[in-house]
Amino acid sequence: MKLKNKKTAFDSFFLHQGEEGLTAFEKGMEQVSNKLKEVYSDTEQPFIGKTPAEIEKEIAGIMNFAGEGRSLQKVLDEIEGPVIRNSLHISHKKSMAHLHCPPLLPGIIGECIIGTLNQSMDSWDQSTAATYVEEGMVEWLKETVGYPGPSDGVFTSGGTQSNYMGLLLARDSFCQNQWGHNVQKQGLPPEFHRLRILCSEDAHFTVKKSASQLGLGEQAVITVKTDEYHRMCMEDIQNVLKRLKADDMLPFAIAATCGTTDFGSIDPLPELASISEEKGLWFHVDAAFGGGLLLSHSHCDKLKGLEKADSMTIDFHKLFYQPVSCGAFMVKDRRHFGFLSHHADYLNPLKDEDDGIVNLVTKSTSTTRRFDSLKLYLSLKTVGIETFGEMIDRTMELARYTAGYLEGLDTIDLKNKHPEINTIVFRYKPETEIGIGLDELNRAIQQSLLHEGKGVIAKTTVDGETFLKLTLLNPRTSEEDIHELMDEIKKTATQLMNGGLARV
Ligand SMILES: *Cc1c(COP(=O)(O)O)cnc(C)c1O
């Protein structure tokens, strides 16, 4: 006998076992989709241009939860201005500030399925099919990277978590091999203050942050000088290693960068792999940005040596065009995940392992975890690997074009004439003395473009001076967009120089 579903007062808030929920779901999706369509059909600028104080005030105005629940349509109408229109419109062709990508539509739609299914990746009994999708995507990534059979990986919230995991495994593996010391059980060994990690001076700040969280302190990170292309200098790393040896220090890992945040530089991976092997160091590669070249047709050779890494970081919410957050951590020898695993009776008892049940919590520093691999799966399948590579190559081509174009402009000081990936670092530099500092002028240009909604570009510091940066992730951005942007920069600079900086 089929039991009739008893109606409750909450039926329109949940999806399963009741007509009301199904109807509300359909209606809600339609309302959301109409609202976003409406906004994006008449939003011409990447940013509305309001000040932080103005936006903060508008948001404060909608932070009221007292009283009865409102209809979804009403709430959507209420957030349209303050939240949706005041957001940074990252899919706009002139949004080119950070390593922050326009999300692919299959990724966005994937988010909807991910939220609906709400699987939790920690144990098989909370992600009965999702566990195998994630494992399948890890398998795909292994093949794409050229990683050997015993390698393994897990999805993470991004580069910060992946770098932390890499250095954690490096630390624990070293302590195990050096002293038979088990950090997981015993805490740091007495000699911990001698442990050292090497990275370039252009490495991501999360290397230092990880060292501090690993109990080694930022003092454990020794930065190696970079060459003129912002790559780790091979001569300096040899000197650093000699000095560390003379000082009786214990270097245990090299954290190479494959795609630095500002210049997209790629450290010499094959050479660093050899040095690591020779000196018995763990070789971690932070390919959060550069990993995107895995699918490139014309630039994937830049990743040579990546497959030699003991562990690596790859972000999908950068050059793989996924909605935040989506990343992976990969390790060459899966046994190293043993340093992370803990068996909780309620979640992943050892008995499960004996029975062949896969509980992914054993590979992660997180417990509850999103089913992010699904959006990458949907994107690769619907866009197709071939087209995916073409999108990345298009951004590389645009970066090369932009570098050439900027080099020809006489008021532009271009820092990277040959962009390694797709970032361009430059600044406006008038030919005559202007009475204000160039740092101040360039900061003002960036702010002014943002507040007039003409373009969202970044600022950074190179050798102590302020520069502007374009991160050209959007394959739809055209040469004309770049011309227009540079015209705006010139116009803004002229206005600022004539009118002073007061108006910004
Ligand atoms: C973005 C980035 C990170 C940090 O990753 P999140 O995904 O923001 O946590 C680390 N390293 C590099 C090189 C990056 O580009």
Side-chain angles (χ1 to χ4, degrees):
M1 186 182 82
K2 192 164 176 271
L3 282 178
K4 207 160 176 255
N5 274 319
K6 196 165 166 262
K7 276 203 187 303
T8 76
F10 318 114
D11 286 357
S12 63
F13 302 127
F14 295 96
L15 190 57
H16 200 175
Q17 295 167 304
E19 278 300 322
E20 278 190 48
L22 293 175
T23 309
F25 178 76
E26 188 180 14
K27 197 166 142 205
M29 293 302 278
E30 197 183 323
Q31 288 168 339
V32 167
S33 143
N34 284 339
K35 177 63 75 189
L36 292 170
K37 257 169 65 187
E38 190 187 316
V39 170
Y40 284 110
S41 62
D42 68 5
T43 302
E44 298 300 328
Q45 298 185 330
F47 180 56
I48 201 163
K50 291 180 190 159
T51 63
E54 285 169 328
I55 296 178
E56 187 178 15
K57 188 155 167 256
E58 284 183 45
I59 298 289
I62 56 167
M63 288 299 173
N64 50 326
F65 303 97
E68 300 255 306
R70 299 113 167 121
S71 72
L72 178 67
Q73 187 61 57
K74 204 154 176 229
V75 180
L76 288 174
D77 292 342
E78 207 184 354
I79 66 166
E80 177 181 331
V83 181
I84 306 178
R85 292 199 184 267
N86 283 346
S87 286
L88 174 73
H89 301 302
I90 195 61
S91 299
H92 191 284
K93 292 187 272 183
K94 283 192 188 133
S95 270
M96 42 174 88
H98 299 282
L99 278 167
H100 179 189
C101 63
L104 282 169
L105 287 174
I108 298 174
I109 289 154
E111 284 286 359
C112 167
I113 306 176
I114 292 166
T116 305
L117 297 179
N118 201 31
Q119 303 295 284
S120 181
M121 304 309 300
D122 36 346
S123 61
W124 176 80
D125 62 3
Q126 302 178 84
S127 53
T128 46
T131 293
Y132 304 114
V133 174
E134 177 167 329
E135 291 282 82
M137 289 312 294
V138 164
E139 215 40 57
W140 170 81
L141 196 56
K142 278 170 61 173
E143 272 170 41
T144 307
V145 165
Y147 243 14
S151 59
D152 202 354
V154 70
F155 274 65
T156 63
S157 62
T160 307
Q161 186 185 6
S162 301
N163 282 344
Y164 171 75
M165 287 174 70
L167 293 170
L168 185 149
L169 299 192
R171 177 198 66 182
D172 292 3
S173 161
F174 181 83
C175 293
Q176 183 76 58
N177 296 339
Q178 185 82 359
W179 302 294
H181 182 97
N182 182 335
V183 179
Q184 198 185 21
K185 299 276 182 247
Q186 302 168 276
L188 292 174
E191 296 296 331
F192 80 90
H193 57 276
R194 290 165 59 206
L195 296 172
R196 291 294 179 269
I197 298 163
L198 276 63
C199 66
S200 93
E201 52 193 13
D202 282 32
H204 197 264
F205 71 87
T206 47
V207 174
K208 282 192 176 151
K209 198 166 163 174
S210 300
S212 99
Q213 290 169 352
L214 289 168
L216 305 176
E218 289 188 8
Q219 57 124 25
V221 178
I222 306 294
T223 53
V224 177
K225 289 200 184 85
T226 48
D227 63 16
E228 58 177 316
Y229 300 112
H230 298 266
R231 296 178 304 207
M232 200 189 283
C233 166
M234 288 304 97
E235 199 182 309
D236 195 52
I237 195 173
Q238 294 293 358
N239 294 337
V240 167
L241 283 167
K242 270 187 212 135
R243 204 174 67 227
L244 289 175
K245 190 163 185 208
D247 293 345
D248 210 20
M249 292 299 155
L250 298 169
F252 68 94
I254 295 179
T257 314
C258 176
T260 58
T261 310
D262 280 346
F263 289 95
S265 310
I266 299 175
D267 287 339
L269 302 178
E271 287 88 335
L272 289 170
S274 304
I275 296 176
S276 303
E277 195 174 352
E278 184 195 320
K279 308 273 181 197
L281 307 174
W282 183 281
F283 184 39
H284 175 75
V285 180
D286 176 358
F289 178 16
L293 299 186
L294 283 168
L295 296 185
S296 159
H297 301 296
S298 33
H299 299 272
C300 54
D301 54 322
K302 291 184 172 168
L303 299 183
K304 202 164 167 286
L306 179 63
E307 74 289 350
K308 297 215 162 78
D310 290 300
S311 59
M312 72 180 77
T313 292
I314 297 196
D315 265 1
F316 302 113
H317 54 217
K318 288 175 179 165
L319 254 188
F320 282 88
Y321 303 107
Q322 294 308 300
V324 172
S325 58
C326 197
F329 170 70
M330 303 292 289
V331 65
K332 191 156 73 184
D333 180 346
R334 66 160 63 97
R335 284 174 303 181
H336 287 113
F337 273 132
F339 292 118
L340 287 178
S341 66
H342 182 93
H343 291 280
D345 293 333
Y346 81 95
L347 202 59
N348 59 333
L350 270 171
K351 175 78 173 66
D352 270 11
E353 225 156 86
D354 296 341
D355 295 347
I357 293 172
V358 182
N359 293 313
L360 296 182
V361 70
T362 44
K363 297 199 278 187
S364 182
T365 49
S366 302
T367 306
T368 299
R369 202 158 51 77
R370 292 165 48 87
F371 181 18
D372 285 321
S373 57
L374 183 68
K375 55 196 182 196
L376 181 64
Y377 172 92
L378 287 174
S379 301
L380 292 176
K381 265 217 154 147
T382 56
V383 174
I385 300 276
E386 185 70 21
T387 307
F388 223 110
E390 285 166 14
M391 290 198 303
I392 291 160
D393 287 347
R394 163 65 195 149
T395 70
M396 307 282 280
E397 186 188 297
L398 181 69
R400 264 141 211 78
Y401 172 82
T402 304
Y405 178 64
L406 265 61
E407 205 182 353
L409 300 177
D410 39 15
T411 45
I412 294 296
D413 176 11
L414 177 66
K415 266 283 164 191
N416 56 337
K417 298 193 169 70
H418 306 284
E420 188 78 271
I421 307 182
N422 45 26
T423 57
I424 303 286
V425 182
F426 67 101
R427 67 176 171 173
Y428 190 82
K429 190 176 178 185
E431 288 161 310
T432 51
E433 190 50 49
I434 49 163
I436 41 170
L438 284 182
D439 288 354
E440 212 182 333
L441 175 65
N442 281 281
R443 249 193 313 273
I445 292 173
Q446 190 259 352
Q447 284 295 304
S448 181
L449 287 179
L450 181 70
H451 289 303
E452 281 171 23
K454 303 284 190 196
V456 180
I457 67 174
K459 56 183 181 310
T460 188
T461 304
V462 185
D463 301 327
E465 295 179 316
T466 301
F467 277 78
L468 301 172
K469 180 170 76 165
L470 310 181
T471 309
L472 301 169
L473 300 182
N474 193 330
R476 298 172 69 220
T477 303
S478 66
E479 283 75 4
E480 290 74 48
D481 289 317
I482 300 291
H483 298 168
E484 280 172 21
L485 179 78
M486 294 314 292
D487 289 347
E488 278 305 329
I489 288 182
K490 194 167 177 186
K491 211 163 87 192
T492 306
T494 313
Q495 281 170 2
L496 287 166
M497 290 186 299
N498 292 339
L501 296 171
R503 53 184 286 274
V504 188

PDB file of all heavy atoms in Angstrom, residues 99 157-161 163 204 206 257-261 286-289 313 315 317-318, ligand 1:
ATOM      1  N   LEU A  99      42.980  36.984 -11.190  1.00  0.00           N
ATOM      2  CA  LEU A  99      42.829  35.612 -11.676  1.00  0.00           C
ATOM      3  C   LEU A  99      41.447  35.121 -11.254  1.00  0.00           C
ATOM      4  O   LEU A  99      41.295  34.249 -10.401  1.00  0.00           O
ATOM      5  CB  LEU A  99      43.909  34.726 -11.056  1.00  0.00           C
ATOM      6  CG  LEU A  99      45.255  34.779 -11.748  1.00  0.00           C
ATOM      7  CD1 LEU A  99      46.323  34.136 -10.889  1.00  0.00           C
ATOM      8  CD2 LEU A  99      45.167  34.077 -13.097  1.00  0.00           C
ATOM      9  N   SER A 157      39.193  23.477  -2.067  1.00  0.00           N
ATOM     10  CA  SER A 157      38.527  24.776  -2.221  1.00  0.00           C
ATOM     11  C   SER A 157      39.371  25.723  -3.060  1.00  0.00           C
ATOM     12  O   SER A 157      38.942  26.824  -3.376  1.00  0.00           O
ATOM     13  CB  SER A 157      38.268  25.382  -0.856  1.00  0.00           C
ATOM     14  OG  SER A 157      39.499  25.601  -0.196  1.00  0.00           O
ATOM     15  N   GLY A 158      40.608  25.333  -3.383  1.00  0.00           N
ATOM     16  CA  GLY A 158      41.448  26.193  -4.205  1.00  0.00           C
ATOM     17  C   GLY A 158      42.918  26.071  -3.840  1.00  0.00           C
ATOM     18  O   GLY A 158      43.320  25.171  -3.079  1.00  0.00           O
ATOM     19  N   GLY A 159      43.699  26.989  -4.396  1.00  0.00           N
ATOM     20  CA  GLY A 159      45.148  26.932  -4.266  1.00  0.00           C
ATOM     21  C   GLY A 159      45.648  27.035  -2.831  1.00  0.00           C
ATOM     22  O   GLY A 159      46.671  26.428  -2.486  1.00  0.00           O
ATOM     23  N   THR A 160      44.961  27.792  -2.021  1.00  0.00           N
ATOM     24  CA  THR A 160      45.402  27.957  -0.638  1.00  0.00           C
ATOM     25  C   THR A 160      45.397  26.604   0.074  1.00  0.00           C
ATOM     26  O   THR A 160      46.393  26.209   0.692  1.00  0.00           O
ATOM     27  CB  THR A 160      44.456  28.944   0.094  1.00  0.00           C
ATOM     28  OG1 THR A 160      44.388  30.140  -0.678  1.00  0.00           O
ATOM     29  CG2 THR A 160      44.932  29.245   1.495  1.00  0.00           C
ATOM     30  N   GLN A 161      44.284  25.901  -0.058  1.00  0.00           N
ATOM     31  CA  GLN A 161      44.190  24.589   0.594  1.00  0.00           C
ATOM     32  C   GLN A 161      45.165  23.596  -0.038  1.00  0.00           C
ATOM     33  O   GLN A 161      45.824  22.823   0.669  1.00  0.00           O
ATOM     34  CB  GLN A 161      42.751  24.045   0.508  1.00  0.00           C
ATOM     35  CG  GLN A 161      42.575  22.750   1.296  1.00  0.00           C
ATOM     36  CD  GLN A 161      41.195  22.112   1.124  1.00  0.00           C
ATOM     37  OE1 GLN A 161      40.369  22.565   0.328  1.00  0.00           O
ATOM     38  NE2 GLN A 161      40.951  21.047   1.867  1.00  0.00           N
ATOM     39  N   ASN A 163      48.054  24.157  -1.619  1.00  0.00           N
ATOM     40  CA  ASN A 163      49.443  24.426  -1.233  1.00  0.00           C
ATOM     41  C   ASN A 163      49.700  23.977   0.204  1.00  0.00           C
ATOM     42  O   ASN A 163      50.748  23.408   0.522  1.00  0.00           O
ATOM     43  CB  ASN A 163      49.762  25.921  -1.369  1.00  0.00           C
ATOM     44  CG  ASN A 163      50.001  26.312  -2.815  1.00  0.00           C
ATOM     45  OD1 ASN A 163      50.221  25.461  -3.673  1.00  0.00           O
ATOM     46  ND2 ASN A 163      49.956  27.614  -3.095  1.00  0.00           N
ATOM     47  N   HIS A 204      53.523  32.561  -4.453  1.00  0.00           N
ATOM     48  CA  HIS A 204      52.285  33.040  -3.842  1.00  0.00           C
ATOM     49  C   HIS A 204      52.429  33.120  -2.315  1.00  0.00           C
ATOM     50  O   HIS A 204      53.104  32.275  -1.713  1.00  0.00           O
ATOM     51  CB  HIS A 204      51.152  32.084  -4.211  1.00  0.00           C
ATOM     52  CG  HIS A 204      49.798  32.664  -3.997  1.00  0.00           C
ATOM     53  ND1 HIS A 204      49.072  32.437  -2.860  1.00  0.00           N
ATOM     54  CD2 HIS A 204      49.060  33.506  -4.770  1.00  0.00           C
ATOM     55  CE1 HIS A 204      47.921  33.091  -2.948  1.00  0.00           C
ATOM     56  NE2 HIS A 204      47.889  33.746  -4.095  1.00  0.00           N
ATOM     57  N   THR A 206      50.674  32.214  -0.060  1.00  0.00           N
ATOM     58  CA  THR A 206      50.172  31.075   0.720  1.00  0.00           C
ATOM     59  C   THR A 206      51.264  30.062   1.068  1.00  0.00           C
ATOM     60  O   THR A 206      51.036  29.192   1.904  1.00  0.00           O
ATOM     61  CB  THR A 206      49.017  30.373  -0.020  1.00  0.00           C
ATOM     62  OG1 THR A 206      49.397  30.166  -1.379  1.00  0.00           O
ATOM     63  CG2 THR A 206      47.766  31.221   0.022  1.00  0.00           C
ATOM     64  N   THR A 257      56.671  27.662  -8.617  1.00  0.00           N
ATOM     65  CA  THR A 257      55.441  28.270  -9.103  1.00  0.00           C
ATOM     66  C   THR A 257      55.333  28.079 -10.604  1.00  0.00           C
ATOM     67  O   THR A 257      56.274  28.360 -11.345  1.00  0.00           O
ATOM     68  CB  THR A 257      55.404  29.780  -8.791  1.00  0.00           C
ATOM     69  OG1 THR A 257      55.801  29.971  -7.441  1.00  0.00           O
ATOM     70  CG2 THR A 257      54.005  30.345  -9.001  1.00  0.00           C
ATOM     71  N   CYS A 258      54.197  27.595 -11.040  1.00  0.00           N
ATOM     72  CA  CYS A 258      53.926  27.440 -12.470  1.00  0.00           C
ATOM     73  C   CYS A 258      52.812  28.433 -12.773  1.00  0.00           C
ATOM     74  O   CYS A 258      51.630  28.115 -12.650  1.00  0.00           O
ATOM     75  CB  CYS A 258      53.510  25.995 -12.737  1.00  0.00           C
ATOM     76  SG  CYS A 258      53.035  25.709 -14.433  1.00  0.00           S
ATOM     77  N   GLY A 259      53.228  29.655 -13.087  1.00  0.00           N
ATOM     78  CA  GLY A 259      52.254  30.726 -13.307  1.00  0.00           C
ATOM     79  C   GLY A 259      52.177  31.630 -12.085  1.00  0.00           C
ATOM     80  O   GLY A 259      51.297  31.465 -11.249  1.00  0.00           O
ATOM     81  N   THR A 260      53.105  32.584 -11.992  1.00  0.00           N
ATOM     82  CA  THR A 260      53.054  33.508 -10.854  1.00  0.00           C
ATOM     83  C   THR A 260      51.893  34.478 -11.063  1.00  0.00           C
ATOM     84  O   THR A 260      51.471  34.729 -12.194  1.00  0.00           O
ATOM     85  CB  THR A 260      54.370  34.297 -10.708  1.00  0.00           C
ATOM     86  OG1 THR A 260      54.607  35.020 -11.921  1.00  0.00           O
ATOM     87  CG2 THR A 260      55.539  33.371 -10.433  1.00  0.00           C
ATOM     88  N   THR A 261      51.409  35.013  -9.953  1.00  0.00           N
ATOM     89  CA  THR A 261      50.193  35.824  -9.981  1.00  0.00           C
ATOM     90  C   THR A 261      50.333  37.049 -10.887  1.00  0.00           C
ATOM     91  O   THR A 261      49.428  37.359 -11.654  1.00  0.00           O
ATOM     92  CB  THR A 261      49.847  36.245  -8.544  1.00  0.00           C
ATOM     93  OG1 THR A 261      49.874  35.065  -7.750  1.00  0.00           O
ATOM     94  CG2 THR A 261      48.484  36.873  -8.453  1.00  0.00           C
ATOM     95  N   ASP A 286      53.145  24.721  -7.508  1.00  0.00           N
ATOM     96  CA  ASP A 286      51.916  25.501  -7.408  1.00  0.00           C
ATOM     97  C   ASP A 286      51.525  25.925  -8.822  1.00  0.00           C
ATOM     98  O   ASP A 286      52.000  26.934  -9.348  1.00  0.00           O
ATOM     99  CB  ASP A 286      52.153  26.718  -6.515  1.00  0.00           C
ATOM    100  CG  ASP A 286      50.925  27.626  -6.443  1.00  0.00           C
ATOM    101  OD1 ASP A 286      49.921  27.318  -7.108  1.00  0.00           O
ATOM    102  OD2 ASP A 286      50.998  28.644  -5.720  1.00  0.00           O
ATOM    103  N   ALA A 287      50.681  25.092  -9.440  1.00  0.00           N
ATOM    104  CA  ALA A 287      50.229  25.380 -10.813  1.00  0.00           C
ATOM    105  C   ALA A 287      48.783  25.867 -10.790  1.00  0.00           C
ATOM    106  O   ALA A 287      47.993  25.561 -11.709  1.00  0.00           O
ATOM    107  CB  ALA A 287      50.384  24.135 -11.692  1.00  0.00           C
ATOM    108  N   ALA A 288      48.433  26.613  -9.754  1.00  0.00           N
ATOM    109  CA  ALA A 288      47.056  27.119  -9.617  1.00  0.00           C
ATOM    110  C   ALA A 288      46.639  27.850 -10.886  1.00  0.00           C
ATOM    111  O   ALA A 288      45.536  27.662 -11.398  1.00  0.00           O
ATOM    112  CB  ALA A 288      46.969  28.045  -8.406  1.00  0.00           C
ATOM    113  N   PHE A 289      47.525  28.659 -11.420  1.00  0.00           N
ATOM    114  CA  PHE A 289      47.261  29.455 -12.617  1.00  0.00           C
ATOM    115  C   PHE A 289      47.740  28.692 -13.865  1.00  0.00           C
ATOM    116  O   PHE A 289      46.954  28.395 -14.774  1.00  0.00           O
ATOM    117  CB  PHE A 289      47.993  30.792 -12.438  1.00  0.00           C
ATOM    118  CG  PHE A 289      47.905  31.769 -13.584  1.00  0.00           C
ATOM    119  CD1 PHE A 289      46.967  31.654 -14.599  1.00  0.00           C
ATOM    120  CD2 PHE A 289      48.776  32.865 -13.611  1.00  0.00           C
ATOM    121  CE1 PHE A 289      46.906  32.589 -15.635  1.00  0.00           C
ATOM    122  CE2 PHE A 289      48.717  33.801 -14.635  1.00  0.00           C
ATOM    123  CZ  PHE A 289      47.799  33.656 -15.651  1.00  0.00           C
ATOM    124  N   THR A 313      49.348  21.752  -7.175  1.00  0.00           N
ATOM    125  CA  THR A 313      48.127  22.525  -6.967  1.00  0.00           C
ATOM    126  C   THR A 313      47.581  22.915  -8.325  1.00  0.00           C
ATOM    127  O   THR A 313      48.334  23.454  -9.143  1.00  0.00           O
ATOM    128  CB  THR A 313      48.514  23.819  -6.212  1.00  0.00           C
ATOM    129  OG1 THR A 313      48.932  23.455  -4.897  1.00  0.00           O
ATOM    130  CG2 THR A 313      47.385  24.819  -6.149  1.00  0.00           C
ATOM    131  N   ASP A 315      44.101  24.934  -9.946  1.00  0.00           N
ATOM    132  CA  ASP A 315      42.829  25.608  -9.666  1.00  0.00           C
ATOM    133  C   ASP A 315      41.952  25.561 -10.904  1.00  0.00           C
ATOM    134  O   ASP A 315      42.408  25.910 -11.998  1.00  0.00           O
ATOM    135  CB  ASP A 315      43.076  27.081  -9.303  1.00  0.00           C
ATOM    136  CG  ASP A 315      43.147  27.283  -7.799  1.00  0.00           C
ATOM    137  OD1 ASP A 315      43.017  26.290  -7.053  1.00  0.00           O
ATOM    138  OD2 ASP A 315      43.321  28.433  -7.370  1.00  0.00           O
ATOM    139  N   HIS A 317      39.038  27.270 -10.807  1.00  0.00           N
ATOM    140  CA  HIS A 317      38.294  28.537 -10.832  1.00  0.00           C
ATOM    141  C   HIS A 317      39.167  29.683 -11.354  1.00  0.00           C
ATOM    142  O   HIS A 317      38.901  30.838 -11.099  1.00  0.00           O
ATOM    143  CB  HIS A 317      37.662  28.867  -9.469  1.00  0.00           C
ATOM    144  CG  HIS A 317      38.603  28.865  -8.302  1.00  0.00           C
ATOM    145  ND1 HIS A 317      38.243  28.408  -7.061  1.00  0.00           N
ATOM    146  CD2 HIS A 317      39.871  29.272  -8.179  1.00  0.00           C
ATOM    147  CE1 HIS A 317      39.250  28.544  -6.227  1.00  0.00           C
ATOM    148  NE2 HIS A 317      40.256  29.070  -6.878  1.00  0.00           N
ATOM    149  N   LYS A 318      40.218  29.317 -12.101  1.00  0.00           N
ATOM    150  CA  LYS A 318      41.021  30.332 -12.793  1.00  0.00           C
ATOM    151  C   LYS A 318      40.936  30.056 -14.292  1.00  0.00           C
ATOM    152  O   LYS A 318      39.928  30.340 -14.898  1.00  0.00           O
ATOM    153  CB  LYS A 318      42.437  30.320 -12.245  1.00  0.00           C
ATOM    154  CG  LYS A 318      42.449  30.917 -10.829  1.00  0.00           C
ATOM    155  CD  LYS A 318      43.755  30.856 -10.144  1.00  0.00           C
ATOM    156  CE  LYS A 318      43.643  31.498  -8.773  1.00  0.00           C
ATOM    157  NZ  LYS A 318      44.773  31.158  -7.918  1.00  0.00           N
TER     158      LYS A 318
HETATM  159  C1  LIG B   1      45.246  31.876  -6.890  1.00  0.00           C
HETATM  160  C2  LIG B   1      46.525  31.328  -6.478  1.00  0.00           C
HETATM  161  C3  LIG B   1      46.693  30.739  -5.215  1.00  0.00           C
HETATM  162  C4  LIG B   1      45.600  30.756  -4.186  1.00  0.00           C
HETATM  163  O1  LIG B   1      44.554  29.955  -4.585  1.00  0.00           O
HETATM  164  P1  LIG B   1      43.040  30.158  -4.099  1.00  0.00           P
HETATM  165  O2  LIG B   1      42.312  29.324  -5.069  1.00  0.00           O
HETATM  166  O3  LIG B   1      42.744  31.617  -4.186  1.00  0.00           O
HETATM  167  O4  LIG B   1      42.960  29.646  -2.707  1.00  0.00           O
HETATM  168  C5  LIG B   1      47.910  30.165  -4.928  1.00  0.00           C
HETATM  169  N1  LIG B   1      48.921  30.199  -5.809  1.00  0.00           N
HETATM  170  C6  LIG B   1      48.806  30.779  -7.018  1.00  0.00           C
HETATM  171  C7  LIG B   1      49.975  30.796  -7.941  1.00  0.00           C
HETATM  172  C8  LIG B   1      47.598  31.365  -7.394  1.00  0.00           C
HETATM  173  O5  LIG B   1      47.473  31.918  -8.606  1.00  0.00           O
END
